[in-house]
Amino acid sequence: MMSKGKSYYLIPYYLWIALFVIAPVLLVVYYSLFDLEGKLTLNNYVNFFTPVYMRMMLNSFWYAFLITVFSLLVAYPAAYLLTRTKHKQLWLLLIILPTWINLLLKTYAFIGIFGTFGPVNNFFDLVGLGEQQILFTGFSFVFVSVYIFIPFMILPIFSALDEMNLSLVDAARDLGASGWTTFRRVVFPLTISGVRSGCMAVFIPALSLFMITRLIAGNRVITLGTAIEQHFLVTQDWGMGSTVAVFLIAIMALFMILTGGSRKGVRG
Amino acid sequence: MKNRRRVKNQNGIANIYLVLVFLVLYAPIFYLMYYSFNSGGTMHKFEGFTLDYYREVVADTRLMIIVINTLVIALLSSAIATIIAVIGALAIHHVRSRRAKNTLLSLNNVLIVSPDVIIGASFLILFTIVGIKLGFTSVLLSHVAFSIPIAVIMILPHLQEMSPTLTDAARDLGATRRDVLTKVILPIIKPGIFSGFFMALTYSLDDFAVTFFVTGNGYSTLSVEIYSRARQGVSLSINALSTLIFLFTILLVIGYYYLNQRKSRPPVQIAEPVAEAGVPR
């Protein structure tokens, strides 16, 4: 094996870890301790626990939760059916393809689709529902986000389903389990790791999206991401922005520990 | 076999569901493309066919400069990131202690799972403190930084697949460390290096949130430009631009999969880390 001697070639990588992984987190924590005038204070944290920020946080969680649930509801059957198709790799590729297209372009498309004269409103008119305000609502935000995230939910569930041993399903059926029972007691538990990574891939980004809220929800929906962007780039209150970021990091870490820990349990 | 029979009965509904999912996935993209040819100037009433918006895009020098900026940043940052990622993958691979290995891996993955706003905001703080002017350098550095971990993840499995006896044999036959690296290890992990580079490239081309934080005035990449234009409302030149980007993306993906097919690797293996990464940028 390689001797320990000359390992200075490893320097760039370790430098990267120090500068771009560890330092940024520390800097965010450090900045969260300063107010607008640059005075050392804990006020940002006090402010964070006022109703304004608490409501924003709850709001943010609620939307992220909705987005995750709807993505899962759409993605699970889709992933399941995909594993049953003939050319499943090709179909999977077609599911992945839209994710290569810039998120902003896809979001921009919905400005037209959901617009006052867009096809959805035309359809509503035709059905007799009349024109609705769809753009700049919570609904459009959730819809567009789910649209964006579906492939990221389908992929891990697809791999989990694909790895699953089909004879287990047959065994359950042979032992008299109904289709629903088989799904609930055999298929779903076996693919829970895929569901978990899918939910993780959706929930965290859904908490921090800000471009979709800005473009589609027209500042109606404020998420943690929007708040951070606002504080950093608009009001220039880096301290408060960092404080929100610290909480987002904490939530993320908690989420990872929770999902990571149980995943280890599943694998035995 | 039993399964197949059971599913066949439900084939109708199943197919309708899948078709519906695909329809929803692709509809907005084709909707954009369709209206890029609309002489009416809006995204709802198709009046007549025109190529005006494409001419507009091509004639827009500012936009062309931004396109070049974006490509330069993408190519340069992924090349640098891939080199550092090879080093990183080697470092992780050679660490013996399991704990140290896990620590390194977790540190490696921090940027993959972090929300983009946080990456963007913290890099903004970093660059301001260090005194790097916002613009080309800051954008390049951040793209290198967030591309490294994904490239490492693409390279690492290839290293782990490699039989350790190969390097031992090479050493026994008198190869220097350098020879082992360039003549044994690198050729074996080459497919991983290529996919790492490609992923870094697409991450860089796609990134908006991080770039948005670290571009100063005057410097812009395509996604930042699209964002600021889209915020001003519908303009069909964005549609034309997105059609061009879409075609470019398809070419890129086809090229990538073609390369991969020749190496006869199943595409799922490549797709999986992407799913783990999962963070749209």
Side-chain angles (χ1 to χ4, degrees):
Chain A
M1 283 314 286
M2 296 226 179
S3 62
K4 276 212 165 160
K6 297 180 284 178
S7 49
Y8 51 80
Y9 71 96
L10 297 177
I11 289 171
Y13 185 67
Y14 288 117
L15 206 64
W16 167 76
I17 288 187
L19 269 178
F20 289 98
V21 178
I22 297 172
V25 179
L26 296 180
L27 282 174
V28 166
V29 175
Y30 176 74
Y31 262 77
S32 70
L33 300 173
F34 290 92
D35 65 7
L36 260 175
E37 280 95 49
K39 265 194 312 217
L40 200 66
T41 167
L42 278 175
N43 268 346
N44 291 328
Y45 286 88
V46 176
N47 280 341
F48 191 80
F49 287 100
T50 54
V52 182
Y53 281 96
M54 282 295 111
R55 200 173 308 135
M56 183 196 79
M57 181 120 143
L58 280 178
N59 219 337
S60 196
F61 264 101
W62 173 239
Y63 277 114
F65 173 75
L66 282 182
I67 292 166
T68 313
V69 168
F70 284 124
S71 303
L72 183 62
L73 285 179
V74 177
Y76 203 103
Y80 179 82
L81 296 173
L82 273 177
T83 56
R84 299 284 179 277
T85 51
K86 232 183 223 163
H87 305 282
K88 52 184 173 187
Q89 297 303 343
L90 178 73
W91 292 116
L92 189 68
L93 178 63
L94 284 175
I95 291 274
I96 303 171
L97 194 63
T99 65
W100 303 99
I101 292 156
N102 201 308
L103 167 104
L104 292 164
L105 291 177
K106 288 181 284 185
T107 310
Y108 167 78
F110 280 99
I111 298 180
I113 292 174
F114 282 158
T116 321
F117 307 106
V120 176
N121 260 329
N122 278 344
F123 175 75
F124 280 169
D125 252 352
L126 214 75
V127 182
L129 279 168
E131 227 163 65
Q132 304 283 332
Q133 174 68 32
I134 313 169
L135 216 57
F136 312 128
T137 60
F139 165 78
S140 58
F141 171 59
V142 173
F143 188 94
V144 175
S145 307
V146 169
Y147 167 80
I148 300 274
F149 286 128
I150 279 177
F152 297 103
M153 188 64 105
I154 290 182
L155 265 173
I157 297 177
F158 175 90
S159 348
L161 278 166
D162 211 30
E163 274 168 23
M164 189 180 66
N165 188 348
L166 277 178
S167 52
L168 289 171
V169 178
D170 287 342
R173 299 290 289 186
D174 284 347
L175 291 169
S178 66
W180 170 243
T181 314
T182 312
F183 173 75
R184 200 165 53 94
R185 306 292 285 271
V186 180
V187 178
F188 192 74
L190 281 173
T191 53
I192 194 79
S193 68
V195 172
R196 256 198 209 107
S197 28
C199 287
M200 212 167 90
V202 172
F203 188 79
I204 297 287
L207 272 180
S208 53
L209 283 174
F210 69 92
M211 46 285 202
I212 298 181
T213 54
R214 289 264 198 255
L215 289 177
I216 290 291
N219 298 347
R220 235 5 113 75
V221 179
I222 294 175
T223 64
L224 293 176
T226 336
I228 295 174
E229 190 255 352
Q230 178 89 10
H231 282 307
F232 267 91
L233 299 178
V234 185
T235 59
Q236 300 280 328
D237 185 357
W238 287 18
M240 197 59 222
S242 298
T243 309
V244 181
V246 166
F247 280 95
L248 189 50
I249 292 173
I251 295 163
M252 195 186 79
L254 199 74
F255 206 75
M256 300 257 298
I257 291 166
L258 284 177
T259 49
S262 36
R263 199 186 301 173
K264 227 176 263 165
V266 169
R267 283 195 187 150
Chain B
M1 284 305 108
K2 207 182 217 174
N3 255 307
R4 195 160 292 163
R5 194 166 1 105
R6 188 161 52 80
V7 166
K8 222 170 199 171
N9 300 331
Q10 313 168 341
N11 241 351
I13 310 164
N15 281 342
I16 291 171
Y17 185 78
L18 269 188
V19 167
L20 218 65
V21 169
F22 276 104
L23 215 67
V24 172
L25 272 181
Y26 282 91
I29 297 161
F30 287 110
Y31 182 80
L32 269 190
M33 292 165 80
Y34 177 66
Y35 279 102
S36 69
F37 301 108
N38 179 17
S39 64
T42 60
M43 256 209 277
H44 52 263
K45 217 185 215 163
F46 200 89
E47 285 179 7
F49 180 86
T50 176
L51 285 175
D52 281 356
Y53 301 102
Y54 288 88
R55 279 188 213 109
E56 207 175 288
V57 165
V58 179
D60 190 341
T61 13
R62 199 179 107 81
L63 197 64
M64 284 303 118
I65 290 172
I66 290 172
V67 169
I68 293 167
N69 279 346
T70 312
L71 288 176
V72 167
I73 289 276
L75 289 170
L76 206 57
S77 71
S78 8
I80 300 171
T82 311
I83 294 169
I84 300 178
V86 170
I87 297 170
L90 285 173
I92 294 174
H93 186 64
H94 284 306
V95 168
R96 288 295 191 75
S97 121
R98 214 178 161 163
R99 241 181 110 170
K101 195 175 230 162
N102 280 338
T103 314
L104 263 183
L105 264 175
S106 324
L107 283 174
N108 184 68
N109 294 349
V110 166
L111 286 186
I112 296 180
V113 294
S114 296
D116 294 330
V117 251
I118 291 189
I119 300 178
S122 60
F123 283 5
L124 175 62
I125 299 180
L126 182 76
F127 292 137
T128 316
I129 282 199
V130 178
I132 291 171
K133 224 182 115 229
L134 298 184
F136 174 78
T137 323
S138 62
V139 174
L140 180 70
L141 280 175
S142 7
H143 282 222
V144 170
F146 70 60
S147 301
I148 289 174
I150 189 75
V152 168
I153 285 195
M154 306 299 260
I155 296 168
L156 208 53
H158 293 264
L159 267 178
Q160 272 151 358
E161 253 171 43
M162 183 181 73
S163 158
T165 47
L166 276 174
T167 45
D168 289 347
R171 297 284 283 167
D172 286 346
L173 291 168
T176 60
R177 277 179 52 152
R178 201 198 160 89
D179 286 338
V180 174
L181 184 68
T182 54
K183 300 216 170 100
V184 181
I185 299 178
L186 285 184
I188 289 178
I189 61 171
K190 209 166 90 187
I193 297 178
F194 273 116
S195 25
F197 177 78
F198 181 77
M199 281 309 298
L201 199 67
T202 51
Y203 262 47
S204 171
L205 284 174
D206 240 21
D207 178 75
F208 163 71
V210 177
T211 316
F212 187 59
F213 273 87
V214 297
T215 42
N217 296 328
Y219 191 81
S220 188
T221 64
L222 210 46
S223 45
V224 174
E225 179 69 12
I226 291 167
Y227 179 71
S228 57
R229 286 188 186 202
R231 284 202 79 176
Q232 288 157 19
V234 170
S235 131
L236 292 192
S237 55
I238 305 182
N239 294 49
L241 186 62
S242 62
T243 308
L244 295 175
I245 296 176
F246 181 69
L247 294 178
F248 179 73
T249 312
I250 295 221
L251 280 180
L252 208 67
V253 174
I254 290 174
Y256 175 69
Y257 274 89
Y258 175 72
L259 271 176
N260 253 17
Q261 289 299 304
R262 279 208 324 208
K263 308 230 156 60
S264 69
R265 291 206 140 260
V268 179
Q269 230 166 325
I270 291 103
E272 232 168 345
V274 186
E276 293 274 325
V279 191
R281 290 183 190 275

